[in-house]
Short mmCIF file of all heavy atoms in Angstrom, two decimals:
data_model
loop_
_atom_site.label_atom_id
_atom_site.label_comp_id
_atom_site.label_asym_id
_atom_site.label_seq_id
_atom_site.Cartn_x
_atom_site.Cartn_y
_atom_site.Cartn_z
N MET A 306 0.86 -1.20 0.05
CA MET A 306 0.01 0.00 0.03
C MET A 306 0.90 1.22 0.02
O MET A 306 1.72 1.41 0.91
CB MET A 306 -0.87 -0.04 1.22
CG MET A 306 -1.78 1.17 1.35
SD MET A 306 -2.89 0.89 2.81
CE MET A 306 -3.47 2.58 2.91
N ALA A 307 0.76 2.08 -0.95
CA ALA A 307 1.53 3.32 -1.09
C ALA A 307 0.82 4.47 -0.36
O ALA A 307 -0.41 4.50 -0.24
CB ALA A 307 1.68 3.66 -2.60
N THR A 308 1.61 5.32 0.15
CA THR A 308 1.13 6.51 0.89
C THR A 308 1.45 7.67 0.04
O THR A 308 2.59 7.97 -0.26
CB THR A 308 1.79 6.58 2.25
OG1 THR A 308 1.51 5.41 2.96
CG2 THR A 308 1.20 7.79 3.06
N ASP A 309 0.43 8.51 -0.26
CA ASP A 309 0.64 9.73 -0.97
C ASP A 309 0.91 10.88 -0.01
O ASP A 309 0.14 11.06 1.02
CB ASP A 309 -0.61 10.14 -1.80
CG ASP A 309 -0.82 9.15 -2.92
OD1 ASP A 309 0.19 8.62 -3.46
OD2 ASP A 309 -1.98 8.92 -3.31
N LEU A 310 1.97 11.59 -0.25
CA LEU A 310 2.29 12.78 0.63
C LEU A 310 2.56 13.99 -0.23
O LEU A 310 2.85 13.90 -1.35
CB LEU A 310 3.60 12.51 1.32
CG LEU A 310 3.70 11.26 2.27
CD1 LEU A 310 5.15 11.14 2.83
CD2 LEU A 310 2.81 11.52 3.43
N HIS A 311 2.17 15.13 0.34
CA HIS A 311 2.42 16.38 -0.29
C HIS A 311 3.23 17.21 0.77
O HIS A 311 2.84 17.34 1.89
CB HIS A 311 1.17 17.20 -0.65
CG HIS A 311 1.35 18.51 -1.14
ND1 HIS A 311 1.84 18.73 -2.47
CD2 HIS A 311 1.18 19.70 -0.64
CE1 HIS A 311 1.99 20.02 -2.61
NE2 HIS A 311 1.58 20.61 -1.55
N VAL A 312 4.38 17.67 0.30
CA VAL A 312 5.25 18.41 1.31
C VAL A 312 5.47 19.83 0.75
O VAL A 312 5.83 20.09 -0.38
CB VAL A 312 6.61 17.73 1.44
CG1 VAL A 312 7.52 18.50 2.40
CG2 VAL A 312 6.49 16.30 1.97
N GLU A 313 5.24 20.81 1.71
CA GLU A 313 5.55 22.26 1.34
C GLU A 313 6.57 22.73 2.38
O GLU A 313 6.55 22.40 3.51
CB GLU A 313 4.29 23.07 1.64
CG GLU A 313 3.11 22.74 0.77
CD GLU A 313 1.84 23.54 1.09
OE1 GLU A 313 2.02 24.60 1.85
OE2 GLU A 313 0.81 23.18 0.72
N VAL A 314 7.59 23.42 1.81
CA VAL A 314 8.72 23.95 2.65
C VAL A 314 8.40 25.45 2.99
O VAL A 314 8.09 26.21 2.05
CB VAL A 314 10.01 23.73 1.95
CG1 VAL A 314 11.13 24.32 2.87
CG2 VAL A 314 10.27 22.31 1.69
N TRP A 315 8.56 25.76 4.24
CA TRP A 315 8.35 27.13 4.72
C TRP A 315 9.57 27.63 5.46
O TRP A 315 10.26 26.80 6.04
CB TRP A 315 7.14 27.24 5.60
CG TRP A 315 5.79 26.97 5.00
CD1 TRP A 315 5.45 25.81 4.39
CD2 TRP A 315 4.73 27.82 4.88
NE1 TRP A 315 4.16 25.89 3.80
CE2 TRP A 315 3.74 27.15 4.16
CE3 TRP A 315 4.46 29.12 5.33
CZ2 TRP A 315 2.43 27.72 3.90
CZ3 TRP A 315 3.25 29.70 5.03
CH2 TRP A 315 2.22 29.01 4.32
N GLN A 316 9.86 28.91 5.36
CA GLN A 316 11.03 29.47 6.04
C GLN A 316 10.70 30.76 6.73
O GLN A 316 9.92 31.59 6.23
CB GLN A 316 12.12 29.68 4.91
CG GLN A 316 13.45 30.22 5.52
CD GLN A 316 14.51 30.30 4.41
OE1 GLN A 316 14.13 30.47 3.24
NE2 GLN A 316 15.70 30.15 4.81
N ASP A 317 11.39 30.95 7.88
CA ASP A 317 11.15 32.28 8.57
C ASP A 317 12.31 33.18 8.31
O ASP A 317 13.22 32.82 7.53
CB ASP A 317 11.00 32.09 10.06
CG ASP A 317 12.26 31.62 10.82
OD1 ASP A 317 13.30 31.46 10.15
OD2 ASP A 317 12.13 31.40 12.09
N GLU A 318 12.28 34.39 8.80
CA GLU A 318 13.32 35.39 8.53
C GLU A 318 14.74 35.02 8.96
O GLU A 318 15.71 35.59 8.56
CB GLU A 318 12.91 36.75 9.09
CG GLU A 318 12.87 36.82 10.55
CD GLU A 318 12.43 38.13 11.13
OE1 GLU A 318 11.58 38.76 10.43
OE2 GLU A 318 12.80 38.53 12.24
N HIS A 319 14.83 34.09 9.85
CA HIS A 319 16.14 33.65 10.40
C HIS A 319 16.73 32.48 9.60
O HIS A 319 17.76 31.95 9.96
CB HIS A 319 15.98 33.27 11.85
CG HIS A 319 15.39 34.43 12.70
ND1 HIS A 319 16.16 35.61 12.90
CD2 HIS A 319 14.22 34.61 13.31
CE1 HIS A 319 15.29 36.44 13.62
NE2 HIS A 319 14.21 35.82 13.88
N GLY A 320 15.95 31.90 8.67
CA GLY A 320 16.37 30.82 7.85
C GLY A 320 15.93 29.43 8.40
O GLY A 320 16.26 28.42 7.88
N CYS A 321 15.17 29.46 9.48
CA CYS A 321 14.63 28.19 10.01
C CYS A 321 13.57 27.63 9.00
O CYS A 321 12.75 28.28 8.58
CB CYS A 321 13.98 28.42 11.32
SG CYS A 321 13.24 26.95 12.15
N LEU A 322 13.70 26.29 8.75
CA LEU A 322 12.89 25.68 7.80
C LEU A 322 11.84 24.73 8.52
O LEU A 322 12.23 24.05 9.47
CB LEU A 322 13.57 24.75 6.82
CG LEU A 322 14.50 25.54 5.87
CD1 LEU A 322 15.35 24.55 5.00
CD2 LEU A 322 13.74 26.48 4.95
N ARG A 323 10.58 24.82 8.13
CA ARG A 323 9.57 23.85 8.51
C ARG A 323 8.88 23.28 7.31
O ARG A 323 8.74 23.91 6.33
CB ARG A 323 8.56 24.51 9.49
CG ARG A 323 9.10 24.94 10.85
CD ARG A 323 8.00 25.35 11.71
NE ARG A 323 8.61 25.63 13.08
CZ ARG A 323 7.92 26.24 14.06
NH1 ARG A 323 6.64 26.58 13.86
NH2 ARG A 323 8.46 26.39 15.20
N GLU A 324 8.45 22.05 7.50
CA GLU A 324 7.74 21.38 6.42
C GLU A 324 6.31 21.10 6.82
O GLU A 324 6.04 20.63 7.88
CB GLU A 324 8.40 20.11 6.00
CG GLU A 324 9.80 20.24 5.44
CD GLU A 324 10.52 18.95 5.29
OE1 GLU A 324 10.20 17.94 5.89
OE2 GLU A 324 11.40 18.98 4.38
N LEU A 325 5.41 21.43 5.93
CA LEU A 325 3.98 21.05 6.12
C LEU A 325 3.84 19.74 5.25
O LEU A 325 4.01 19.75 4.09
CB LEU A 325 3.09 22.09 5.56
CG LEU A 325 1.57 21.99 5.85
CD1 LEU A 325 0.88 23.31 5.73
CD2 LEU A 325 0.87 20.95 4.97
N VAL A 326 3.52 18.59 5.95
CA VAL A 326 3.48 17.35 5.25
C VAL A 326 1.94 16.91 5.36
O VAL A 326 1.38 16.72 6.42
CB VAL A 326 4.31 16.21 5.96
CG1 VAL A 326 4.16 14.96 5.28
CG2 VAL A 326 5.66 16.74 6.08
N GLN A 327 1.37 16.81 4.15
CA GLN A 327 -0.09 16.40 4.07
C GLN A 327 -0.24 14.98 3.67
O GLN A 327 0.43 14.53 2.69
CB GLN A 327 -0.87 17.31 3.08
CG GLN A 327 -2.25 17.06 2.96
CD GLN A 327 -2.96 17.96 1.99
OE1 GLN A 327 -2.37 18.87 1.44
NE2 GLN A 327 -4.23 17.68 1.71
N PHE A 328 -1.07 14.20 4.42
CA PHE A 328 -1.26 12.81 4.16
C PHE A 328 -2.60 12.63 3.48
O PHE A 328 -3.49 13.53 3.51
CB PHE A 328 -1.28 11.98 5.47
CG PHE A 328 -0.02 12.22 6.28
CD1 PHE A 328 -0.09 13.05 7.35
CD2 PHE A 328 1.13 11.55 6.08
CE1 PHE A 328 1.06 13.29 8.16
CE2 PHE A 328 2.22 11.76 6.86
CZ PHE A 328 2.15 12.64 7.86
N ALA A 329 -2.87 11.47 2.80
CA ALA A 329 -4.14 11.15 2.34
C ALA A 329 -4.68 12.22 1.32
O ALA A 329 -5.68 12.85 1.57
CB ALA A 329 -5.17 10.86 3.42
N LEU A 330 -3.97 12.43 0.28
CA LEU A 330 -4.27 13.47 -0.73
C LEU A 330 -5.59 13.26 -1.41
O LEU A 330 -6.16 14.19 -1.97
CB LEU A 330 -3.22 13.51 -1.77
CG LEU A 330 -1.80 13.96 -1.19
CD1 LEU A 330 -0.71 14.00 -2.32
CD2 LEU A 330 -1.91 15.30 -0.50
N ASP A 331 -6.15 12.02 -1.33
CA ASP A 331 -7.40 11.71 -2.10
C ASP A 331 -8.61 12.25 -1.29
O ASP A 331 -9.71 12.28 -1.76
CB ASP A 331 -7.59 10.29 -2.33
CG ASP A 331 -7.43 9.41 -1.17
OD1 ASP A 331 -6.96 9.89 -0.09
OD2 ASP A 331 -7.90 8.29 -1.14
N GLU A 332 -8.38 12.63 0.01
CA GLU A 332 -9.45 13.13 0.80
C GLU A 332 -9.48 14.69 0.71
O GLU A 332 -8.48 15.30 0.54
CB GLU A 332 -9.19 12.80 2.31
CG GLU A 332 -9.20 11.28 2.55
CD GLU A 332 -8.87 10.89 3.97
OE1 GLU A 332 -8.90 11.84 4.80
OE2 GLU A 332 -8.49 9.80 4.22
N ILE A 333 -10.65 15.31 1.00
CA ILE A 333 -10.75 16.70 0.99
C ILE A 333 -10.17 17.16 2.37
O ILE A 333 -10.53 16.59 3.40
CB ILE A 333 -12.20 17.08 0.87
CG1 ILE A 333 -12.70 16.81 -0.51
CG2 ILE A 333 -12.32 18.69 1.11
CD1 ILE A 333 -14.18 17.16 -0.78
N GLY A 334 -9.29 18.16 2.33
CA GLY A 334 -8.59 18.57 3.56
C GLY A 334 -7.50 17.62 3.84
O GLY A 334 -6.49 17.63 3.11
N GLY A 335 -7.67 16.71 4.71
CA GLY A 335 -6.66 15.73 4.99
C GLY A 335 -5.78 16.05 6.14
O GLY A 335 -5.52 17.20 6.34
N ALA A 336 -5.38 15.04 6.87
CA ALA A 336 -4.53 15.19 8.07
C ALA A 336 -3.12 15.70 7.59
O ALA A 336 -2.64 15.29 6.52
CB ALA A 336 -4.43 13.86 8.79
N CYS A 337 -2.46 16.49 8.42
CA CYS A 337 -1.14 16.97 8.11
C CYS A 337 -0.36 17.23 9.38
O CYS A 337 -0.99 17.47 10.51
CB CYS A 337 -1.19 18.09 7.20
SG CYS A 337 -2.15 19.55 7.83
N ILE A 338 0.94 17.33 9.24
CA ILE A 338 1.79 17.67 10.33
C ILE A 338 2.73 18.76 9.90
O ILE A 338 2.89 19.03 8.65
CB ILE A 338 2.64 16.53 10.89
CG1 ILE A 338 3.57 16.01 9.78
CG2 ILE A 338 1.74 15.44 11.37
CD1 ILE A 338 4.54 14.98 10.33
N ILE A 339 3.21 19.48 10.83
CA ILE A 339 4.34 20.47 10.62
C ILE A 339 5.50 19.84 11.34
O ILE A 339 5.50 19.57 12.50
CB ILE A 339 4.02 21.91 11.08
CG1 ILE A 339 2.79 22.45 10.33
CG2 ILE A 339 5.21 22.77 10.97
CD1 ILE A 339 2.30 23.75 10.86
N ARG A 340 6.56 19.70 10.53
CA ARG A 340 7.88 19.22 11.16
C ARG A 340 8.98 20.15 10.95
O ARG A 340 9.00 20.92 9.97
CB ARG A 340 8.20 17.81 10.61
CG ARG A 340 8.51 17.79 9.19
CD ARG A 340 8.78 16.32 8.72
NE ARG A 340 8.99 16.30 7.30
CZ ARG A 340 9.07 15.23 6.56
NH1 ARG A 340 8.81 14.01 7.11
NH2 ARG A 340 9.35 15.30 5.34
N GLU A 341 9.95 20.10 11.89
CA GLU A 341 11.09 20.93 11.81
C GLU A 341 12.30 20.04 11.97
O GLU A 341 12.27 19.14 12.85
CB GLU A 341 11.03 21.98 12.86
CG GLU A 341 12.17 22.96 12.91
CD GLU A 341 11.90 24.02 13.93
OE1 GLU A 341 11.20 24.97 13.61
OE2 GLU A 341 12.47 23.92 15.07
N ARG A 342 13.36 20.38 11.26
CA ARG A 342 14.58 19.61 11.38
C ARG A 342 15.50 20.28 12.44
O ARG A 342 15.70 21.40 12.36
CB ARG A 342 15.35 19.54 10.00
CG ARG A 342 16.78 19.15 10.23
CD ARG A 342 17.37 18.73 9.01
NE ARG A 342 17.00 17.33 8.82
CZ ARG A 342 17.33 16.55 7.90
NH1 ARG A 342 18.10 17.02 6.92
NH2 ARG A 342 17.00 15.29 7.83
N ASN A 343 16.04 19.43 13.28
CA ASN A 343 17.05 19.98 14.22
C ASN A 343 18.39 19.42 13.78
O ASN A 343 18.71 18.20 13.92
CB ASN A 343 16.75 19.33 15.66
CG ASN A 343 17.77 19.85 16.67
OD1 ASN A 343 18.83 20.26 16.34
ND2 ASN A 343 17.38 19.76 17.95
N SER A 344 19.10 20.30 13.18
CA SER A 344 20.36 19.87 12.45
C SER A 344 21.40 19.38 13.47
O SER A 344 22.26 18.60 13.07
CB SER A 344 20.96 21.02 11.63
OG SER A 344 21.21 22.20 12.52
N LEU A 345 21.39 19.77 14.73
CA LEU A 345 22.24 19.22 15.65
C LEU A 345 22.05 17.76 15.88
O LEU A 345 22.99 16.92 16.10
CB LEU A 345 22.17 19.94 17.00
CG LEU A 345 22.56 21.43 16.94
CD1 LEU A 345 22.34 22.16 18.21
CD2 LEU A 345 24.04 21.59 16.55
N ASP A 346 20.76 17.30 15.94
CA ASP A 346 20.42 15.94 16.07
C ASP A 346 20.89 15.05 14.88
O ASP A 346 21.19 13.88 14.98
CB ASP A 346 18.92 15.69 16.31
CG ASP A 346 18.54 16.07 17.69
OD1 ASP A 346 19.43 16.19 18.56
OD2 ASP A 346 17.32 16.18 17.87
N ALA A 347 20.94 15.66 13.68
CA ALA A 347 21.20 14.99 12.46
C ALA A 347 22.69 14.93 12.17
O ALA A 347 23.10 14.36 11.18
CB ALA A 347 20.51 15.63 11.32
N LEU A 348 23.55 15.56 12.97
CA LEU A 348 24.98 15.56 12.64
C LEU A 348 25.69 14.28 12.60
O LEU A 348 26.68 14.08 11.88
CB LEU A 348 25.72 16.46 13.73
CG LEU A 348 25.49 17.96 13.58
CD1 LEU A 348 26.21 18.67 14.70
CD2 LEU A 348 26.11 18.47 12.28
N ASP A 349 25.12 13.25 13.23
CA ASP A 349 25.78 11.92 13.21
C ASP A 349 25.52 11.15 11.95
O ASP A 349 25.87 10.01 11.85
CB ASP A 349 25.31 11.13 14.43
CG ASP A 349 23.87 10.77 14.44
OD1 ASP A 349 23.16 11.20 13.51
OD2 ASP A 349 23.41 10.07 15.43
N GLY A 350 24.81 11.76 11.02
CA GLY A 350 24.55 11.12 9.61
C GLY A 350 23.22 10.54 9.51
O GLY A 350 22.98 10.08 8.40
N ASP A 351 22.43 10.41 10.46
CA ASP A 351 21.10 9.88 10.27
C ASP A 351 20.14 11.04 9.80
O ASP A 351 19.78 11.91 10.53
CB ASP A 351 20.49 9.29 11.59
CG ASP A 351 19.19 8.54 11.41
OD1 ASP A 351 18.59 8.74 10.38
OD2 ASP A 351 18.78 7.95 12.38
N ALA A 352 19.81 10.91 8.54
CA ALA A 352 19.06 12.10 7.90
C ALA A 352 17.70 12.36 8.51
O ALA A 352 17.17 13.47 8.32
CB ALA A 352 18.93 11.80 6.37
N TYR A 353 17.06 11.39 9.12
CA TYR A 353 15.69 11.57 9.64
C TYR A 353 15.66 11.61 11.11
O TYR A 353 14.56 11.87 11.66
CB TYR A 353 14.78 10.46 9.08
CG TYR A 353 14.73 10.41 7.63
CD1 TYR A 353 15.43 9.57 6.88
CD2 TYR A 353 13.96 11.37 6.92
CE1 TYR A 353 15.34 9.65 5.46
CE2 TYR A 353 13.85 11.40 5.63
CZ TYR A 353 14.52 10.52 4.82
OH TYR A 353 14.50 10.61 3.51
N GLU A 354 16.72 11.40 11.78
CA GLU A 354 16.70 11.50 13.27
C GLU A 354 16.36 12.88 13.79
O GLU A 354 15.73 13.03 14.90
CB GLU A 354 18.02 11.04 13.78
CG GLU A 354 18.16 10.96 15.27
CD GLU A 354 19.48 10.42 15.75
OE1 GLU A 354 20.41 11.27 15.85
OE2 GLU A 354 19.65 9.24 16.01
N GLY A 355 16.69 13.93 13.04
CA GLY A 355 16.51 15.25 13.54
C GLY A 355 15.14 15.91 13.31
O GLY A 355 14.98 17.02 13.55
N ASP A 356 14.18 15.12 12.80
CA ASP A 356 12.86 15.65 12.56
C ASP A 356 12.11 15.66 13.86
O ASP A 356 11.90 14.64 14.47
CB ASP A 356 12.20 14.89 11.43
CG ASP A 356 12.77 15.10 10.05
OD1 ASP A 356 13.50 16.12 9.89
OD2 ASP A 356 12.51 14.32 9.16
N THR A 357 11.42 16.83 14.07
CA THR A 357 10.55 16.98 15.25
C THR A 357 9.19 17.43 14.69
O THR A 357 9.09 18.36 13.88
CB THR A 357 11.09 18.03 16.20
OG1 THR A 357 12.37 17.65 16.60
CG2 THR A 357 10.19 18.24 17.33
N VAL A 358 8.10 16.76 15.19
CA VAL A 358 6.82 17.20 14.83
C VAL A 358 6.40 18.34 15.75
O VAL A 358 6.37 18.25 17.00
CB VAL A 358 5.74 16.00 15.05
CG1 VAL A 358 4.36 16.52 14.80
CG2 VAL A 358 6.02 14.93 14.08
N VAL A 359 6.15 19.46 15.11
CA VAL A 359 5.77 20.75 15.84
C VAL A 359 4.28 20.83 16.14
O VAL A 359 3.90 21.23 17.26
CB VAL A 359 6.30 21.95 15.05
CG1 VAL A 359 5.81 23.27 15.66
CG2 VAL A 359 7.78 21.92 14.82
N ALA A 360 3.45 20.39 15.17
CA ALA A 360 1.93 20.45 15.34
C ALA A 360 1.32 19.52 14.43
O ALA A 360 1.92 19.06 13.37
CB ALA A 360 1.51 21.85 15.10
N ARG A 361 0.08 19.18 14.68
CA ARG A 361 -0.76 18.28 13.95
C ARG A 361 -2.03 19.02 13.65
O ARG A 361 -2.60 19.69 14.52
CB ARG A 361 -1.05 17.00 14.64
CG ARG A 361 0.17 16.16 14.92
CD ARG A 361 -0.21 14.89 15.73
NE ARG A 361 0.94 14.25 16.35
CZ ARG A 361 1.74 13.42 15.72
NH1 ARG A 361 1.39 13.04 14.49
NH2 ARG A 361 2.74 12.89 16.32
N PHE A 362 -2.56 18.85 12.38
CA PHE A 362 -3.77 19.46 12.01
C PHE A 362 -4.62 18.57 11.16
O PHE A 362 -4.10 17.61 10.52
CB PHE A 362 -3.48 20.79 11.12
CG PHE A 362 -2.80 21.83 11.92
CD1 PHE A 362 -1.45 21.93 11.91
CD2 PHE A 362 -3.50 22.82 12.57
CE1 PHE A 362 -0.73 22.87 12.64
CE2 PHE A 362 -2.85 23.77 13.25
CZ PHE A 362 -1.47 23.84 13.32
N GLY A 363 -5.92 18.82 11.18
CA GLY A 363 -6.86 18.01 10.32
C GLY A 363 -7.07 18.71 9.00
O GLY A 363 -7.68 18.06 8.16
N ASP A 364 -6.70 19.87 8.84
CA ASP A 364 -6.84 20.57 7.60
C ASP A 364 -5.67 21.45 7.28
O ASP A 364 -5.06 22.24 8.09
CB ASP A 364 -8.05 21.62 7.83
CG ASP A 364 -8.44 22.38 6.56
OD1 ASP A 364 -7.68 22.41 5.56
OD2 ASP A 364 -9.51 23.05 6.64
N PRO A 365 -5.09 21.32 6.01
CA PRO A 365 -3.85 22.02 5.68
C PRO A 365 -3.98 23.56 5.71
O PRO A 365 -3.03 24.18 5.97
CB PRO A 365 -3.59 21.52 4.26
CG PRO A 365 -4.67 20.62 3.85
CD PRO A 365 -5.56 20.39 5.00
N GLU A 366 -5.20 24.11 5.51
CA GLU A 366 -5.35 25.51 5.55
C GLU A 366 -5.12 26.05 7.00
O GLU A 366 -4.50 27.10 7.26
CB GLU A 366 -6.76 25.98 5.07
CG GLU A 366 -6.85 25.86 3.58
CD GLU A 366 -5.76 26.69 2.82
OE1 GLU A 366 -5.45 27.83 3.19
OE2 GLU A 366 -5.22 26.11 1.81
N ASP A 367 -5.56 25.29 7.95
CA ASP A 367 -5.28 25.61 9.42
C ASP A 367 -3.76 25.54 9.68
O ASP A 367 -3.24 26.44 10.37
CB ASP A 367 -6.01 24.62 10.33
CG ASP A 367 -7.48 24.84 10.32
OD1 ASP A 367 -7.99 25.89 9.85
OD2 ASP A 367 -8.26 23.89 10.76
N ALA A 368 -3.06 24.62 9.09
CA ALA A 368 -1.69 24.48 9.28
C ALA A 368 -0.96 25.70 8.60
O ALA A 368 0.01 26.17 9.14
CB ALA A 368 -1.19 23.19 8.70
N ARG A 369 -1.34 26.07 7.41
CA ARG A 369 -0.72 27.24 6.80
C ARG A 369 -1.01 28.50 7.57
O ARG A 369 -0.11 29.32 7.70
CB ARG A 369 -1.35 27.39 5.37
CG ARG A 369 -0.85 26.27 4.40
CD ARG A 369 -1.48 26.52 2.95
NE ARG A 369 -1.11 25.34 2.17
CZ ARG A 369 -1.98 24.38 1.87
NH1 ARG A 369 -3.27 24.44 2.27
NH2 ARG A 369 -1.58 23.35 1.19
N ASP A 370 -2.28 28.70 8.07
CA ASP A 370 -2.49 29.86 8.96
C ASP A 370 -1.57 29.82 10.19
O ASP A 370 -0.98 30.83 10.58
CB ASP A 370 -3.88 29.83 9.42
CG ASP A 370 -4.90 30.15 8.32
OD1 ASP A 370 -4.44 30.77 7.26
OD2 ASP A 370 -6.10 29.87 8.46
N PHE A 371 -1.34 28.65 10.81
CA PHE A 371 -0.44 28.53 11.95
C PHE A 371 0.99 28.94 11.55
O PHE A 371 1.63 29.75 12.26
CB PHE A 371 -0.47 27.06 12.45
CG PHE A 371 0.54 26.78 13.46
CD1 PHE A 371 0.34 27.16 14.86
CD2 PHE A 371 1.80 26.18 13.17
CE1 PHE A 371 1.30 26.89 15.87
CE2 PHE A 371 2.71 25.95 14.11
CZ PHE A 371 2.52 26.23 15.50
N LEU A 372 1.48 28.48 10.40
CA LEU A 372 2.84 28.84 9.93
C LEU A 372 2.97 30.34 9.72
O LEU A 372 4.00 30.94 10.11
CB LEU A 372 3.19 28.05 8.67
CG LEU A 372 3.49 26.53 8.93
CD1 LEU A 372 3.56 25.76 7.59
CD2 LEU A 372 4.91 26.43 9.57
N ARG A 373 2.02 30.94 9.05
CA ARG A 373 2.02 32.37 8.87
C ARG A 373 2.03 33.12 10.18
O ARG A 373 2.75 34.10 10.34
CB ARG A 373 0.88 32.77 8.00
CG ARG A 373 1.01 32.40 6.52
CD ARG A 373 -0.18 33.00 5.73
NE ARG A 373 -0.16 32.41 4.34
CZ ARG A 373 -0.83 31.39 4.00
NH1 ARG A 373 -1.74 30.82 4.82
NH2 ARG A 373 -0.78 30.91 2.74
N ASP A 374 1.19 32.71 11.08
CA ASP A 374 1.23 33.33 12.48
C ASP A 374 2.55 33.15 13.17
O ASP A 374 2.90 34.08 13.95
CB ASP A 374 0.05 32.76 13.30
CG ASP A 374 -1.33 33.13 12.83
OD1 ASP A 374 -1.51 34.01 12.04
OD2 ASP A 374 -2.28 32.42 13.33
N GLU A 375 3.27 32.20 12.87
CA GLU A 375 4.61 31.93 13.52
C GLU A 375 5.70 32.66 12.75
O GLU A 375 6.91 32.56 13.12
CB GLU A 375 4.90 30.38 13.52
CG GLU A 375 3.97 29.65 14.41
CD GLU A 375 4.35 29.83 15.91
OE1 GLU A 375 5.51 29.84 16.25
OE2 GLU A 375 3.36 30.17 16.63
N GLY A 376 5.34 33.33 11.64
CA GLY A 376 6.40 34.16 10.92
C GLY A 376 7.02 33.39 9.79
O GLY A 376 8.06 33.83 9.24
N PHE A 377 6.39 32.40 9.31
CA PHE A 377 6.95 31.58 8.14
C PHE A 377 6.22 32.00 6.86
O PHE A 377 5.05 32.31 6.86
CB PHE A 377 6.77 30.06 8.40
CG PHE A 377 7.78 29.54 9.50
CD1 PHE A 377 7.51 29.74 10.84
CD2 PHE A 377 8.91 28.93 9.13
CE1 PHE A 377 8.35 29.20 11.81
CE2 PHE A 377 9.81 28.43 10.12
CZ PHE A 377 9.56 28.61 11.41
N ASP A 378 6.98 31.84 5.75
CA ASP A 378 6.43 32.09 4.45
C ASP A 378 6.83 30.84 3.58
O ASP A 378 7.84 30.27 3.75
CB ASP A 378 7.06 33.31 3.81
CG ASP A 378 6.67 34.61 4.55
OD1 ASP A 378 5.42 34.82 4.77
OD2 ASP A 378 7.53 35.42 4.94
N PRO A 379 5.97 30.50 2.58
CA PRO A 379 6.28 29.36 1.75
C PRO A 379 7.40 29.67 0.81
O PRO A 379 7.62 30.82 0.39
CB PRO A 379 4.95 29.17 0.92
CG PRO A 379 4.25 30.45 0.98
CD PRO A 379 4.68 31.16 2.33
N LEU A 380 8.17 28.65 0.47
CA LEU A 380 9.32 28.84 -0.42
C LEU A 380 8.89 28.44 -1.86
O LEU A 380 7.99 27.73 -2.04
CB LEU A 380 10.55 27.97 -0.01
CG LEU A 380 11.28 28.36 1.18
CD1 LEU A 380 12.45 27.41 1.44
CD2 LEU A 380 11.81 29.79 1.05
#
């Protein structure tokens, strides 16, 4: 079973990156998370160890509003 994902990259004025990851693209809206990479955790070579889930949403528009409120803009 394949999982469809849609990933949007957002950045704040300090260069911090967050990703909005949307699951179940065939559904209207769809569950999504916002994740942020902690580069200090990833220094040992594990590319995915440094990902932290910042927030979970049931609607991507709510997640985008959250990111904008936090000072992030889409890339």
Side-chain angles (χ1 to χ4, degrees):
M306 180 176 165
T308 302
D309 292 328
L310 299 174
H311 175 74
V312 178
E313 299 175 16
V314 179
W315 292 62
Q316 184 175 27
D317 71 1
E318 65 183 31
H319 305 290
C321 179
L322 295 175
R323 287 189 177 170
E324 295 175 336
L325 188 160
V326 182
Q327 183 180 353
F328 306 99
L330 296 177
D331 56 343
E332 298 175 14
I333 296 175
C337 58
I338 62 169
I339 296 174
R340 66 183 178 192
E341 181 176 279
R342 164 163 275 182
N343 182 339
S344 58
L345 295 176
D346 285 344
L348 282 177
D349 63 359
D351 187 348
Y353 297 102
E354 184 178 82
D356 288 341
T357 301
V358 175
V359 175
R361 298 175 194 275
F362 293 91
D364 184 348
E366 286 306 317
D367 291 339
R369 290 182 187 103
D370 290 341
F371 173 81
L372 284 164
R373 286 185 190 96
D374 289 346
E375 293 287 311
F377 286 81
D378 293 307
L380 289 181

